[in-house]
Amino acid sequence: MAAPGLSTYEAFVALHGAALSASAVPARYWPSLWHKLEDEVFDAGECFGIMQVEEVEEEEGDKEDMKEKTKKRINPRSKLCYKVIVTNENGLKAANPNSIFLIDHAWTYRMEHASHQLRQVPGLLHRMASLMDTDFHGEVPDERVVDQVLEDMWRYNQTYQLSHGTAEEKVPVWYIMDEFGSRIQHSDDPTFAMAPLFYMPQQIAYTVLWPLRDLDTGEEVTRDFAYGETDCLIRKCRLLPWFPGEVQEIDPFTREPSDEYYQAILNENKEKLPVSIKPPGYAKDKVFKVYTDLQQVLQNLTHSRFEFTDSEEEADIIYSFSHFKDYRKLSEERPHVMLNQFPCENLLTVKDCLAHISRRVGGSEGPKWLPRTFSLHTELPQFISYFQLRERRGKDNHWICKPWNLARSLDTYVTKSLPSIIRQRESSPKVVSKYIENPVLFNLEDTGLVKFDIRYIVLLRSLKPLKVYVYDVFWLRFSNRPFSLDDLDDYEKHFTVMNYAPRIPLKQIHCSEFVPLFEKQYPECSWQSVEEEIFKAFRELFQAACAKPAPLGICDYPSSRASRAAYAIDLMLKWDTSSNGKQFMQPQILEVNFNPDCDRACRYHPSFFDDVFSTLFLDDPNSCHVTSIV
């Protein structure tokens, strides 16, 4: 909303100035941009034209290989190349405040909807195929054409992300510019820059185009597809979707980051580590005052030795949904207060950090219980090298891209397209993990063999000594459709999180029912032996997480008296092969969640939070439904 007394242009700057500055749009263009947005002026046609040229593709390989590749192409004709040139007879002056242009978007979508929209939106597939120079005949969508567009679109895709709204609304948006914007080619020395702008009054996104220097008539309009990237290796990697090549010179094996990397994470999170204090003692019958903002705790904690308070200042225990930051102040001023979280626990709960610290167990390839994982932000060259190595060896190359710090499978995608994964780096921070292509499946009646995952609630009581407990009840989630390595955009086939999706069936089986069914389906595998391997993986994970002092590991706050925490660990089982050729079930840890949703736990096990609090804060696990694993 515009503040009272502000002109309309000032209101525009108040709303969009930060975004324009972040995109380095020169302020001299802002008034003209405002007018063009307000009046929907698309005047690029007065200054530019599209020129079509035929380009000869030079490819390496013998003639027979080239013939075979040509046969496989949907559109085997000569490659057409488009260039945008300045057609205004006076050229274009960068100093002219009107030298800024709006580009419309031909297709805006979120990843999970792309395939459906191409099949269902009238005219969309035809327009995209034409824009991408893919043959399309007839009115009925051709599945081959749909697949080709889904592959080729990564040479045209751009992205932006809304900064406000729900978690679902903040999922990155992808878009393809209209025919004019999509014809602008790459140059390492570009003549123009462009950036997306979400125009709030209309709730519409446009792309903004402006010159970086003066141009004469006939000069080409170009942009840098890896704009702002100065590292030569990263530039090469980011440009691979347009200019394919090998990165065999890069070692695909990843090492644990430097100490400075972890220190930078601590600084970015603005956490202040606690000072060393002598832990206080408590009377055996003390009633602890609990301050919490979690409704599930307020509604389900009934143990007589805990009472709630509305005052955080008088609390003995702070059980908070939000992350605590200033441990130093708390340790100095209120050393008796206990918390439901540890300093630096993000090393467990953020996916790239989880992969980093896990390498302390398994070396550069990581432990057997974690899928091979790369950070697209810091390990893109290593990932590409590893992907291409697997490709040369004929190994499965399905991968799953996940945001560092989102749950519920939001903004998470399965793909075997290298260009798609590379371009994901431009959206929210992500890791890419090897997709489990050979999961242990569960035979659901009336459905068939489906994927499933398992959630354990793990209680970290202390670090020195390390004390870890697992809640005796675990939870299961199932896919709704039989598993196969195809239809990668079929959410109900490849994902198990169904409880947040409207109108999607949710299959629930209690663990007490699941175990005998599982053992009947896999008589050679007792659940006890499977669970022993799961708990072994948990032990190794927490040992790795506290193997080094903070900020390289979880912080011992102090003498483990103040901090303790409950985490949800999600995992799957996959088939692996031992050295003697025998198949076995290998646990695969997927993620660790802070403050998990415990609705089902409370609904079916009313004593859940009594057990959690007794174990963590009273040191009384013997009367609780928990098992010590360390």
Side-chain angles (χ1 to χ4, degrees), residues 107-121 124 150 413 489:
W107 182 25
T108 301
Y109 65 94
R110 285 194 166 93
M111 281 273 294
E112 63 270 25
H113 303 140
S115 179
H116 177 79
Q117 290 180 6
L118 285 172
R119 291 177 174 90
Q120 298 298 323
V121 177
L124 178 62
L150 289 171
Y413 313 103
D489 59 344

PDB file of all heavy atoms in Angstrom, residues 107-121 124 150 413 489:
ATOM      1  N   TRP A 107       4.892 -18.456 -20.763  1.00  0.00           N
ATOM      2  CA  TRP A 107       4.458 -19.577 -19.913  1.00  0.00           C
ATOM      3  C   TRP A 107       5.066 -19.391 -18.538  1.00  0.00           C
ATOM      4  O   TRP A 107       6.275 -19.224 -18.403  1.00  0.00           O
ATOM      5  CB  TRP A 107       4.913 -20.896 -20.542  1.00  0.00           C
ATOM      6  CG  TRP A 107       4.489 -22.126 -19.799  1.00  0.00           C
ATOM      7  CD1 TRP A 107       3.419 -22.275 -18.968  1.00  0.00           C
ATOM      8  CD2 TRP A 107       5.143 -23.410 -19.830  1.00  0.00           C
ATOM      9  NE1 TRP A 107       3.342 -23.558 -18.481  1.00  0.00           N
ATOM     10  CE2 TRP A 107       4.387 -24.280 -19.009  1.00  0.00           C
ATOM     11  CE3 TRP A 107       6.260 -23.905 -20.488  1.00  0.00           C
ATOM     12  CZ2 TRP A 107       4.746 -25.617 -18.807  1.00  0.00           C
ATOM     13  CZ3 TRP A 107       6.613 -25.227 -20.299  1.00  0.00           C
ATOM     14  CH2 TRP A 107       5.855 -26.078 -19.465  1.00  0.00           C
ATOM     15  N   THR A 108       4.220 -19.395 -17.525  1.00  0.00           N
ATOM     16  CA  THR A 108       4.654 -19.308 -16.137  1.00  0.00           C
ATOM     17  C   THR A 108       4.084 -20.505 -15.393  1.00  0.00           C
ATOM     18  O   THR A 108       2.895 -20.800 -15.505  1.00  0.00           O
ATOM     19  CB  THR A 108       4.163 -17.998 -15.490  1.00  0.00           C
ATOM     20  OG1 THR A 108       4.674 -16.882 -16.229  1.00  0.00           O
ATOM     21  CG2 THR A 108       4.635 -17.898 -14.055  1.00  0.00           C
ATOM     22  N   TYR A 109       4.921 -21.181 -14.632  1.00  0.00           N
ATOM     23  CA  TYR A 109       4.463 -22.421 -14.009  1.00  0.00           C
ATOM     24  C   TYR A 109       5.363 -22.774 -12.825  1.00  0.00           C
ATOM     25  O   TYR A 109       6.440 -22.199 -12.644  1.00  0.00           O
ATOM     26  CB  TYR A 109       4.503 -23.569 -15.029  1.00  0.00           C
ATOM     27  CG  TYR A 109       5.900 -23.911 -15.476  1.00  0.00           C
ATOM     28  CD1 TYR A 109       6.620 -24.916 -14.860  1.00  0.00           C
ATOM     29  CD2 TYR A 109       6.533 -23.194 -16.505  1.00  0.00           C
ATOM     30  CE1 TYR A 109       7.918 -25.213 -15.247  1.00  0.00           C
ATOM     31  CE2 TYR A 109       7.816 -23.483 -16.900  1.00  0.00           C
ATOM     32  CZ  TYR A 109       8.505 -24.501 -16.266  1.00  0.00           C
ATOM     33  OH  TYR A 109       9.795 -24.781 -16.637  1.00  0.00           O
ATOM     34  N   ARG A 110       4.907 -23.700 -12.040  1.00  0.00           N
ATOM     35  CA  ARG A 110       5.761 -24.341 -11.052  1.00  0.00           C
ATOM     36  C   ARG A 110       6.070 -25.750 -11.555  1.00  0.00           C
ATOM     37  O   ARG A 110       5.273 -26.374 -12.247  1.00  0.00           O
ATOM     38  CB  ARG A 110       5.098 -24.353  -9.675  1.00  0.00           C
ATOM     39  CG  ARG A 110       5.136 -22.972  -9.008  1.00  0.00           C
ATOM     40  CD  ARG A 110       4.805 -23.032  -7.522  1.00  0.00           C
ATOM     41  NE  ARG A 110       5.173 -21.779  -6.866  1.00  0.00           N
ATOM     42  CZ  ARG A 110       4.345 -20.753  -6.684  1.00  0.00           C
ATOM     43  NH1 ARG A 110       3.089 -20.825  -7.117  1.00  0.00           N
ATOM     44  NH2 ARG A 110       4.760 -19.652  -6.078  1.00  0.00           N
ATOM     45  N   MET A 111       7.224 -26.249 -11.171  1.00  0.00           N
ATOM     46  CA  MET A 111       7.757 -27.486 -11.763  1.00  0.00           C
ATOM     47  C   MET A 111       6.767 -28.633 -11.745  1.00  0.00           C
ATOM     48  O   MET A 111       6.618 -29.364 -12.729  1.00  0.00           O
ATOM     49  CB  MET A 111       9.023 -27.896 -11.002  1.00  0.00           C
ATOM     50  CG  MET A 111      10.254 -27.116 -11.389  1.00  0.00           C
ATOM     51  SD  MET A 111      11.084 -27.839 -12.794  1.00  0.00           S
ATOM     52  CE  MET A 111      11.650 -29.396 -12.112  1.00  0.00           C
ATOM     53  N   GLU A 112       6.056 -28.790 -10.625  1.00  0.00           N
ATOM     54  CA  GLU A 112       5.186 -29.948 -10.496  1.00  0.00           C
ATOM     55  C   GLU A 112       3.982 -29.907 -11.438  1.00  0.00           C
ATOM     56  O   GLU A 112       3.309 -30.920 -11.646  1.00  0.00           O
ATOM     57  CB  GLU A 112       4.695 -30.094  -9.045  1.00  0.00           C
ATOM     58  CG  GLU A 112       3.841 -28.956  -8.533  1.00  0.00           C
ATOM     59  CD  GLU A 112       4.639 -27.842  -7.874  1.00  0.00           C
ATOM     60  OE1 GLU A 112       5.836 -27.693  -8.215  1.00  0.00           O
ATOM     61  OE2 GLU A 112       4.074 -27.134  -7.022  1.00  0.00           O
ATOM     62  N   HIS A 113       3.719 -28.719 -12.039  1.00  0.00           N
ATOM     63  CA  HIS A 113       2.569 -28.580 -12.923  1.00  0.00           C
ATOM     64  C   HIS A 113       2.944 -28.572 -14.399  1.00  0.00           C
ATOM     65  O   HIS A 113       2.062 -28.531 -15.264  1.00  0.00           O
ATOM     66  CB  HIS A 113       1.825 -27.275 -12.606  1.00  0.00           C
ATOM     67  CG  HIS A 113       1.375 -27.180 -11.184  1.00  0.00           C
ATOM     68  ND1 HIS A 113       1.446 -26.009 -10.440  1.00  0.00           N
ATOM     69  CD2 HIS A 113       0.862 -28.113 -10.347  1.00  0.00           C
ATOM     70  CE1 HIS A 113       0.985 -26.223  -9.236  1.00  0.00           C
ATOM     71  NE2 HIS A 113       0.635 -27.491  -9.142  1.00  0.00           N
ATOM     72  N   ALA A 114       4.226 -28.590 -14.730  1.00  0.00           N
ATOM     73  CA  ALA A 114       4.664 -28.363 -16.111  1.00  0.00           C
ATOM     74  C   ALA A 114       4.081 -29.384 -17.080  1.00  0.00           C
ATOM     75  O   ALA A 114       3.483 -29.037 -18.109  1.00  0.00           O
ATOM     76  CB  ALA A 114       6.192 -28.370 -16.186  1.00  0.00           C
ATOM     77  N   SER A 115       4.248 -30.653 -16.781  1.00  0.00           N
ATOM     78  CA  SER A 115       3.791 -31.697 -17.701  1.00  0.00           C
ATOM     79  C   SER A 115       2.279 -31.641 -17.895  1.00  0.00           C
ATOM     80  O   SER A 115       1.785 -31.732 -19.024  1.00  0.00           O
ATOM     81  CB  SER A 115       4.208 -33.075 -17.153  1.00  0.00           C
ATOM     82  OG  SER A 115       3.760 -34.101 -17.991  1.00  0.00           O
ATOM     83  N   HIS A 116       1.548 -31.465 -16.818  1.00  0.00           N
ATOM     84  CA  HIS A 116       0.082 -31.405 -16.897  1.00  0.00           C
ATOM     85  C   HIS A 116      -0.364 -30.223 -17.753  1.00  0.00           C
ATOM     86  O   HIS A 116      -1.272 -30.360 -18.590  1.00  0.00           O
ATOM     87  CB  HIS A 116      -0.506 -31.306 -15.495  1.00  0.00           C
ATOM     88  CG  HIS A 116      -1.998 -31.158 -15.470  1.00  0.00           C
ATOM     89  ND1 HIS A 116      -2.846 -32.222 -15.650  1.00  0.00           N
ATOM     90  CD2 HIS A 116      -2.789 -30.057 -15.294  1.00  0.00           C
ATOM     91  CE1 HIS A 116      -4.090 -31.792 -15.593  1.00  0.00           C
ATOM     92  NE2 HIS A 116      -4.088 -30.496 -15.376  1.00  0.00           N
ATOM     93  N   GLN A 117       0.267 -29.066 -17.555  1.00  0.00           N
ATOM     94  CA  GLN A 117      -0.135 -27.886 -18.313  1.00  0.00           C
ATOM     95  C   GLN A 117       0.134 -28.051 -19.804  1.00  0.00           C
ATOM     96  O   GLN A 117      -0.668 -27.627 -20.640  1.00  0.00           O
ATOM     97  CB  GLN A 117       0.566 -26.641 -17.758  1.00  0.00           C
ATOM     98  CG  GLN A 117       0.063 -26.220 -16.395  1.00  0.00           C
ATOM     99  CD  GLN A 117       0.769 -24.989 -15.863  1.00  0.00           C
ATOM    100  OE1 GLN A 117       1.575 -24.368 -16.557  1.00  0.00           O
ATOM    101  NE2 GLN A 117       0.480 -24.626 -14.620  1.00  0.00           N
ATOM    102  N   LEU A 118       1.259 -28.657 -20.147  1.00  0.00           N
ATOM    103  CA  LEU A 118       1.558 -28.865 -21.567  1.00  0.00           C
ATOM    104  C   LEU A 118       0.506 -29.747 -22.231  1.00  0.00           C
ATOM    105  O   LEU A 118       0.185 -29.570 -23.411  1.00  0.00           O
ATOM    106  CB  LEU A 118       2.938 -29.496 -21.730  1.00  0.00           C
ATOM    107  CG  LEU A 118       4.145 -28.576 -21.520  1.00  0.00           C
ATOM    108  CD1 LEU A 118       5.432 -29.379 -21.512  1.00  0.00           C
ATOM    109  CD2 LEU A 118       4.201 -27.492 -22.598  1.00  0.00           C
ATOM    110  N   ARG A 119      -0.032 -30.677 -21.481  1.00  0.00           N
ATOM    111  CA  ARG A 119      -1.029 -31.585 -22.037  1.00  0.00           C
ATOM    112  C   ARG A 119      -2.432 -30.982 -22.047  1.00  0.00           C
ATOM    113  O   ARG A 119      -3.254 -31.338 -22.884  1.00  0.00           O
ATOM    114  CB  ARG A 119      -1.045 -32.896 -21.243  1.00  0.00           C
ATOM    115  CG  ARG A 119       0.202 -33.750 -21.434  1.00  0.00           C
ATOM    116  CD  ARG A 119       0.142 -35.002 -20.552  1.00  0.00           C
ATOM    117  NE  ARG A 119       1.259 -35.904 -20.840  1.00  0.00           N
ATOM    118  CZ  ARG A 119       2.432 -35.841 -20.224  1.00  0.00           C
ATOM    119  NH1 ARG A 119       2.642 -34.911 -19.303  1.00  0.00           N
ATOM    120  NH2 ARG A 119       3.396 -36.702 -20.529  1.00  0.00           N
ATOM    121  N   GLN A 120      -2.706 -30.073 -21.096  1.00  0.00           N
ATOM    122  CA  GLN A 120      -4.083 -29.645 -20.891  1.00  0.00           C
ATOM    123  C   GLN A 120      -4.398 -28.229 -21.354  1.00  0.00           C
ATOM    124  O   GLN A 120      -5.537 -27.940 -21.727  1.00  0.00           O
ATOM    125  CB  GLN A 120      -4.440 -29.778 -19.394  1.00  0.00           C
ATOM    126  CG  GLN A 120      -4.364 -31.202 -18.856  1.00  0.00           C
ATOM    127  CD  GLN A 120      -5.327 -32.138 -19.535  1.00  0.00           C
ATOM    128  OE1 GLN A 120      -6.445 -31.751 -19.870  1.00  0.00           O
ATOM    129  NE2 GLN A 120      -4.915 -33.387 -19.752  1.00  0.00           N
ATOM    130  N   VAL A 121      -3.431 -27.322 -21.315  1.00  0.00           N
ATOM    131  CA  VAL A 121      -3.715 -25.933 -21.677  1.00  0.00           C
ATOM    132  C   VAL A 121      -3.756 -25.800 -23.197  1.00  0.00           C
ATOM    133  O   VAL A 121      -2.750 -26.072 -23.872  1.00  0.00           O
ATOM    134  CB  VAL A 121      -2.662 -24.966 -21.081  1.00  0.00           C
ATOM    135  CG1 VAL A 121      -2.932 -23.532 -21.540  1.00  0.00           C
ATOM    136  CG2 VAL A 121      -2.672 -25.052 -19.558  1.00  0.00           C
ATOM    137  N   LEU A 124      -0.748 -24.372 -25.661  1.00  0.00           N
ATOM    138  CA  LEU A 124       0.540 -24.173 -24.978  1.00  0.00           C
ATOM    139  C   LEU A 124       1.631 -25.056 -25.577  1.00  0.00           C
ATOM    140  O   LEU A 124       2.736 -24.581 -25.871  1.00  0.00           O
ATOM    141  CB  LEU A 124       0.392 -24.447 -23.481  1.00  0.00           C
ATOM    142  CG  LEU A 124       1.681 -24.332 -22.661  1.00  0.00           C
ATOM    143  CD1 LEU A 124       2.237 -22.905 -22.721  1.00  0.00           C
ATOM    144  CD2 LEU A 124       1.442 -24.743 -21.198  1.00  0.00           C
ATOM    145  N   LEU A 150       9.803 -30.759 -22.428  1.00  0.00           N
ATOM    146  CA  LEU A 150      10.216 -30.806 -21.020  1.00  0.00           C
ATOM    147  C   LEU A 150      11.734 -30.891 -20.885  1.00  0.00           C
ATOM    148  O   LEU A 150      12.299 -30.428 -19.888  1.00  0.00           O
ATOM    149  CB  LEU A 150       9.555 -31.997 -20.315  1.00  0.00           C
ATOM    150  CG  LEU A 150       8.046 -31.876 -20.075  1.00  0.00           C
ATOM    151  CD1 LEU A 150       7.475 -33.193 -19.567  1.00  0.00           C
ATOM    152  CD2 LEU A 150       7.740 -30.750 -19.088  1.00  0.00           C
ATOM    153  N   TYR A 413      12.103 -32.466  -6.690  1.00  0.00           N
ATOM    154  CA  TYR A 413      11.822 -33.046  -8.000  1.00  0.00           C
ATOM    155  C   TYR A 413      12.786 -34.175  -8.318  1.00  0.00           C
ATOM    156  O   TYR A 413      13.965 -34.130  -7.938  1.00  0.00           O
ATOM    157  CB  TYR A 413      11.929 -31.968  -9.090  1.00  0.00           C
ATOM    158  CG  TYR A 413      11.199 -30.706  -8.718  1.00  0.00           C
ATOM    159  CD1 TYR A 413      11.890 -29.590  -8.269  1.00  0.00           C
ATOM    160  CD2 TYR A 413       9.807 -30.660  -8.775  1.00  0.00           C
ATOM    161  CE1 TYR A 413      11.210 -28.448  -7.895  1.00  0.00           C
ATOM    162  CE2 TYR A 413       9.125 -29.517  -8.399  1.00  0.00           C
ATOM    163  CZ  TYR A 413       9.831 -28.407  -7.958  1.00  0.00           C
ATOM    164  OH  TYR A 413       9.157 -27.279  -7.573  1.00  0.00           O
ATOM    165  N   ASP A 489       7.226 -37.128 -12.883  1.00  0.00           N
ATOM    166  CA  ASP A 489       6.440 -36.039 -12.328  1.00  0.00           C
ATOM    167  C   ASP A 489       5.159 -36.546 -11.660  1.00  0.00           C
ATOM    168  O   ASP A 489       4.322 -35.745 -11.236  1.00  0.00           O
ATOM    169  CB  ASP A 489       6.087 -35.019 -13.418  1.00  0.00           C
ATOM    170  CG  ASP A 489       5.301 -35.642 -14.562  1.00  0.00           C
ATOM    171  OD1 ASP A 489       5.302 -36.888 -14.666  1.00  0.00           O
ATOM    172  OD2 ASP A 489       4.696 -34.893 -15.348  1.00  0.00           O
TER     173      ASP A 489
END
